[in-house]
């Protein structure tokens, strides 16, 4: 997902913006740019690829001004190119944007009918056009922003400046994070603390639908109707360990917040982000040993073997591969697989999933397959780990080191990889049209932004965790692709809060779990709007009528679901296949905050190890 930096103050904006964008590089990006005031005009410099290319272009540039904005872009609409890089400038207005404008097509059409000329393929550029149109009449940047905000739908955080108001910067947050840093007669606005802390540790986190108005040395916090809001600045006092934890209280929370970037880094090697299609080489060309010249069109079955959270990720592969490739998929717990004398076929492709790459049961399962089975593709987070070394083809979660014993970013990175794998195998076996491919690739590329928006549930669960600690039993339920997420959500609560929790296929209610239901039982229902929604709702109503307390996760503002639930969490509307990537995050946050409230050692839960290298 994208990175944003804005600056107003006495320093050279170029220096502040470049150092800020460097601090945000971890977020994953494919182009970057700045727009800085120079003698009353906004001068824009952009570059495709890594930040070094922008720095090279800026080397001999000087700016006579103290206002600027910068951006690192993760392409979702419009391929990675200098033309599509932010900032976008229209008639003296310049903006940077993180997120997705869902109604951009209709807005863009109206602007084109009004004579607007677009220079890029992005949804972001239309925001600059909208503000430019309004500022002609308002003659004020803030008023122009307030006028266009109601037009926009989706998750979008923006920072904008106008040449005619050279000491004004306006920011708006809805979804992706935006933080304001208060220095001495200077302000730094950024997506992340790391870009701000070199200048100040006094900050305000913007909440959704809040507007930051900075003018000279004044700051105002407003709602989207322009009403002034009270605010408290926070001081970030990081010690060295906290600096390693990125200011988070625990590695696990840091890793939960790193998930958008982890997913972005996991899928990038397997996609062509210029053409929005798959890069098949990472599946066709990267086999070794006996399967160096493998012909994947001959694959007739897929076997998935893993443990714990990795096994739950593997369960999703069954839904995605069987629905797209139309070949059978068997998913097995490694400790069961290795002792049940399995029947192995040469035309079976085995996926071995392991964050650590050292899990004893999973390694033993790999070796069993290797004795008399077919090709093995490993998905690990640790290069050169045992499982990584012994597989025939290696994919990587690229999630960065995962320190928390409870796996989070490795899980979502694995799910994203398995989805891309299912697309690639479908394409190789001629089961995926170009249109389907492009639609699915664009959808998975948009997921980091959607995942960022659900991180906002962190504050909700921090508030309600104390209520949840009193609950006797937790029943997580979902159908279809939501069922593995129900299992993973229950596991997170078990391993962190040491509370009994079960994950169940919602359709199984009548086959036993219904007897568990009473007013002491908390049901967490995954009820995204898909083809199983109606059946899921009837399961939820079965539990409700028997006295269960309900926490439900649904798509958007679902009044009916809200009416049935003690707490309702609105998920962003995403590509139906990909709801698991957003709905697991609130479940991770629930488990984290209940564990913290109970005073448990979140990063090192009792009885558990990060890698189970013994049986
Ligand atoms: C996940 O939160 C647990 N720590 C555990 O289930 C873990 O997923 C399992 O031990 C497998 O580990 P691996 O992915 O490193 O093989």
């Amino acid at each position: 997902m994208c990175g944003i930096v804005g600056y107003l103050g006495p320093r050279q904006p170029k220096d502040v913006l470049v150092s800020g964008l460097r601090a945000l590089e971890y977020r994953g990006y494919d182009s970057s740019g700045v727009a800085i005031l120079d003698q009353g005009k906004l001068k824009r410099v952009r570059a495709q690829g890594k930040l070094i290319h922008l720095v090279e272009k800026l080397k001999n540039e000087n700016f006579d001004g103290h206002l600027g904005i910068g951006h690192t872009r993760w392409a979702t609409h419009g391929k990675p190119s200098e033309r599509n890089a932010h900032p976008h400038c229209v008639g003296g207005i310049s903006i940077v944007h993180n997120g997705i404008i869902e109604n951009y097509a209709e807005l863009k059409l109206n602007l084109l009918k009004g004579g607007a000329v677009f220079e890029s393929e992005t949804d972001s550029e239309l925001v600059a056009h909208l503000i430019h149109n309004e500022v002609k009449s308002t003659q004020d940047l803030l008023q122009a922003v307030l006028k266009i905000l109601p037009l926009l739908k989706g998750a979008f955080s923006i920072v904008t400046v106008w040449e005619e108001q050279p000491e004004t910067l306006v920011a708006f947050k809805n979804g992706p994070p935006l933080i304001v840093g208060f220095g001495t007669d200077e302000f730094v606005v950024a997506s992340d603390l790391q870009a701000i802390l070199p200048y100040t540790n006094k900050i305000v986190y913007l909440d959704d639908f809040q507007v930051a108005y900075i003018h000279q040395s004044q700051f105002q916090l407003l709602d989207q109707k322009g009403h002034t809001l009270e605010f408290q600045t926070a001081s970030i006092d990081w010690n060295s360990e906290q600096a390693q934890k990125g200011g988070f209280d625990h590695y696990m929370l840091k890793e939960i917040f790193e998930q958008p970037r982890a997913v972005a880094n996991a899928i990038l090697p397997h996609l062509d982000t210029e053409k929005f299609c798959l890069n098949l080489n990472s599946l066709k060309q990267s086999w070794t040993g006996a399967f160096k010249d493998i012909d994947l069109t001959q694959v007739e079955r897929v076997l998935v073997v893993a443990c714990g959270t990795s096994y739950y990720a593997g369960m999703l592969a069954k839904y995605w591969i069987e629905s797209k490739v139309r070949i059978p998929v068997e998913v097995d717990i490694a400790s069961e697989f290795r002792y049940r004398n399995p029947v192995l076929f040469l035309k079976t492709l085995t996926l071995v999933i392991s964050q650590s790459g050292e899990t004893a049961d999973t390694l033993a399962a790999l070796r069993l397959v290797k004795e008399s089975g077919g090709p093995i593709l490993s998905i690990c987070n640790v290069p050169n780990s045992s499982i990584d070394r012994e597989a025939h083809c290696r994919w990587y979660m690229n999630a960065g080191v995962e320190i928390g014993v409870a796996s989070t970013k490795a899980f979502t990175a694995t799910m994203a990889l398995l989805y891309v794998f299912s697309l690639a195998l479908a394409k190789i076996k001629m089961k995926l049209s170009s249109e389907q491919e492009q639609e699915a690739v664009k959808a998975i590329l948009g997921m980091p932004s959607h995942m960022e928006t659900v991180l906002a549930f962190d504050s909700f669960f921090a508030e309600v965790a104390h209520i949840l600690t009193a609950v006797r039993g937790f029943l997580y339920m979902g159908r279809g692709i939501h069922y593995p997420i129900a299992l993973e959500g229950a596991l997170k609560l078990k391993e962190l809060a040491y509370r009994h929790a079960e994950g169940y296929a919602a359709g199984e209610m009548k086959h036993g779990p219904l007897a568990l239901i009473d007013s002491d039982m908390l049901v967490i229902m995954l009820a995204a709007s898909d083809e199983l929604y109606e059946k899921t709702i009837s399961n939820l109503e079965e539990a409700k009528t028997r006295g269960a307390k309900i926490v439900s996760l649904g798509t958007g503002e679902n009044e009916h679901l809200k009416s049935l639930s003690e707490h309702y969490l609105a998920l962003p509307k995403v590509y139906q296949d990909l709801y698991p990537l957003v709905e697991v995050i609130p479940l991770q946050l629930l488990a984290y905050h209940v564990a913290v409230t109970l005073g448990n050692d979140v990063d090192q839960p009792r009885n558990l190890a990060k890698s189970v290298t013994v049986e």
Side-chain angles (χ1 to χ4, degrees):
M1 62 286 124
C2 310
I4 286 175
V5 186
Y7 180 70
L8 174 62
R11 300 174 202 260
Q12 271 300 323
K14 176 174 84 168
D15 300 337
V16 176
L17 297 179
V18 168
S19 76
L21 294 179
R22 277 210 178 93
L24 300 178
E25 275 196 287
Y26 76 87
R27 299 167 69 84
Y29 66 100
D30 43 51
S31 56
S32 62
V34 296
I36 300 172
L37 208 60
D38 177 35
Q39 296 178 354
K41 292 294 177 191
L42 282 168
K43 187 193 284 183
R44 180 177 65 179
V45 180
R46 300 180 293 178
Q48 184 177 342
K50 287 304 176 193
L51 201 56
I52 186 67
H53 302 303
L54 178 69
V55 173
E56 190 55 34
K57 284 188 162 187
L58 284 168
K59 203 163 53 177
N60 302 318
E61 294 281 0
N62 293 305
F63 301 87
D64 176 14
H66 297 289
L67 175 68
I69 55 179
H71 190 264
T72 50
R73 177 176 183 250
W74 168 257
T76 52
H77 290 79
K79 65 188 181 188
S81 64
E82 184 172 331
R83 189 163 68 94
N84 288 331
H86 302 207
H88 291 291
C89 299
V90 177
I93 293 286
S94 187
I95 67 110
V96 287
H97 162 235
N98 186 8
I100 294 177
I101 310 285
E102 286 175 2
N103 60 332
Y104 82 97
E106 71 183 88
L107 292 173
K108 184 166 182 176
L109 188 61
N110 293 337
L111 285 163
L112 288 169
K113 284 177 183 167
V117 176
F118 280 77
E119 64 171 18
S120 80
E121 304 156 330
T122 68
D123 56 345
S124 310
E125 185 188 349
L126 70 84
V127 180
H129 282 283
L130 291 172
I131 295 173
H132 176 243
N133 288 347
E134 287 301 341
V135 87
K136 290 174 193 168
S137 51
T138 65
Q139 286 302 304
D140 179 75
L141 183 60
L142 171 64
Q143 293 312 314
V145 170
L146 293 172
K147 276 187 173 293
I148 66 107
L149 289 181
L151 305 176
L152 306 178
K153 290 188 177 60
F156 46 89
S157 292
I158 59 172
V159 176
T160 182
V161 293
W162 182 33
E163 287 174 348
E164 303 306 317
Q165 288 181 310
E167 295 187 299
T168 298
L169 183 146
V170 177
F172 172 75
K173 190 258 186 200
N174 169 23
L178 267 185
I179 307 162
V180 179
F182 295 70
T184 309
D185 292 331
E186 64 182 354
F187 293 93
V188 184
V189 179
S191 306
D192 220 327
L193 273 174
Q194 279 89 318
I196 294 172
L197 287 176
Y199 307 97
T200 178
N201 71 346
K202 219 169 118 193
I203 57 118
V204 162
Y205 277 93
L206 295 186
D207 282 335
D208 279 353
F209 309 112
Q210 287 188 343
V211 181
Y213 173 61
I214 296 169
H215 177 63
Q216 292 169 348
S217 58
Q218 302 304 311
F219 170 82
Q220 259 192 300
L221 186 65
L222 309 157
D223 67 18
Q224 56 180 352
K225 291 187 169 40
H227 302 133
T228 303
L229 298 171
E230 295 297 314
F231 66 93
Q232 291 289 327
T233 58
S235 289
I236 302 294
D237 299 317
W238 285 4
N239 59 36
S240 58
E241 196 199 355
Q242 279 176 315
Q244 274 181 14
K245 292 179 189 168
F248 292 96
D249 290 342
H250 300 96
Y251 283 108
M252 180 186 171
L253 189 59
K254 172 173 176 279
E255 289 153 11
I256 288 174
F257 274 74
E258 285 176 345
Q259 290 183 107
R261 186 263 307 160
V263 163
N265 288 345
I267 61 180
L268 198 60
H270 308 285
L271 302 177
D272 178 332
T273 53
E274 300 226 349
K275 302 191 184 86
F276 289 114
C277 64
L278 295 160
N279 163 17
L280 288 182
N281 292 340
S282 63
L283 184 54
K284 287 171 75 170
Q285 313 296 334
S286 46
W287 290 82
T288 59
F291 298 96
K292 189 170 176 307
D293 303 319
I294 187 172
D295 172 8
L296 290 167
T297 61
Q298 300 306 306
V299 169
E300 292 175 356
R301 288 170 69 236
V302 171
L303 166 66
V304 183
V305 183
C307 297
T309 289
S310 293
Y311 168 70
Y312 296 146
M315 287 177 70
L316 281 152
K318 181 180 181 68
Y319 292 93
W320 288 330
I321 295 171
E322 289 198 351
S323 65
K324 295 177 191 313
V325 193
R326 308 307 296 156
I327 58 174
V329 178
E330 187 179 350
V331 191
D332 230 321
I333 292 171
S335 56
E336 289 297 307
F337 176 81
R338 65 182 292 197
Y339 293 116
R340 66 174 175 79
N341 192 16
V343 176
L344 300 172
F345 298 99
L346 268 173
K347 292 196 171 181
T348 297
L349 192 158
T350 299
L351 298 179
V352 177
I353 305 169
S354 176
Q355 189 283 132
S356 62
E358 300 298 346
T359 299
D361 287 321
T362 310
L363 181 56
L366 179 149
R367 288 172 175 165
L368 182 59
V369 172
K370 213 163 180 181
E371 281 168 17
S372 58
I376 299 167
L377 186 149
S378 63
I379 296 180
C380 293
N381 196 34
V382 181
N384 300 313
S385 57
S386 302
I387 289 170
D388 177 53
R389 286 197 314 273
E390 298 190 25
H392 300 114
C393 180
R394 301 154 185 90
W395 279 24
Y396 296 101
M397 297 167 193
N398 287 337
V401 63
E402 185 175 71
I403 294 167
V405 166
S407 184
T408 51
K409 61 179 181 174
F411 176 65
T412 42
T414 301
M415 285 199 286
L417 277 176
L418 289 170
Y419 187 69
V420 170
F421 173 84
S422 70
L423 297 176
L425 191 57
K427 186 171 182 183
I428 288 167
K429 291 179 74 70
M430 313 299 280
K431 302 280 187 179
L432 188 75
S433 70
S434 306
E435 296 72 28
Q436 290 167 327
E437 176 186 1
Q438 189 168 69
E439 183 187 1
V441 167
K442 283 184 176 177
I444 189 79
L445 281 171
M447 287 315 290
S449 288
H450 289 305
M451 291 170 74
E452 271 205 320
T453 63
V454 292
L455 289 168
F457 286 120
D458 181 43
S459 47
F460 168 74
F461 283 110
E463 279 168 35
V464 304
H466 66 284
I467 303 168
L468 298 175
T469 53
V471 171
R472 172 176 64 81
F474 296 78
L475 195 53
Y476 291 71
M477 288 200 278
R479 283 175 175 261
I481 56 173
H482 312 289
Y483 168 41
I485 303 304
L487 293 168
E488 170 61 9
L491 175 63
K492 283 289 156 300
L493 197 75
K494 281 183 265 202
E495 61 179 332
L496 290 160
Y498 317 148
R499 280 290 196 283
H500 185 67
E502 281 206 76
Y504 245 97
E508 276 288 281
M509 285 284 283
K510 291 189 178 66
H511 304 286
L514 212 48
L516 279 172
I517 302 293
D518 59 24
S519 57
D520 291 337
M521 182 62 77
L522 181 70
V523 169
I524 291 151
M525 188 64 85
L526 302 174
S529 300
D530 58 16
E531 67 278 358
L532 294 169
Y533 171 76
E534 292 308 328
K535 295 203 178 300
T536 304
I537 285 293
S538 61
N539 297 138
L540 190 150
E541 285 163 345
E542 281 169 355
K544 180 86 180 165
T545 50
R546 289 162 180 80
K549 301 266 186 309
I550 307 284
V551 172
S552 62
L553 286 76
T555 304
E557 294 311 315
N558 183 326
E559 293 309 323
H560 178 52
L561 210 37
K562 273 183 194 173
S563 68
L564 295 170
S565 310
E566 272 65 34
H567 295 294
Y568 171 74
L569 281 67
L571 298 171
K573 182 169 174 39
V574 303
Y575 200 61
Q576 277 197 13
D577 273 350
L578 297 171
Y579 271 109
L581 285 167
V582 287
E583 64 191 4
V584 72
I585 291 176
L587 307 187
Q588 294 165 343
L589 291 167
L590 183 160
Y592 169 81
H593 283 291
V594 172
V596 167
T597 306
L598 291 168
N600 295 354
D601 183 345
V602 169
D603 286 328
Q604 295 288 342
R606 70 184 183 191
N607 312 337
L608 299 180
K610 182 60 186 169
S611 177
V612 181
T613 54
V614 294
E615 284 193 59

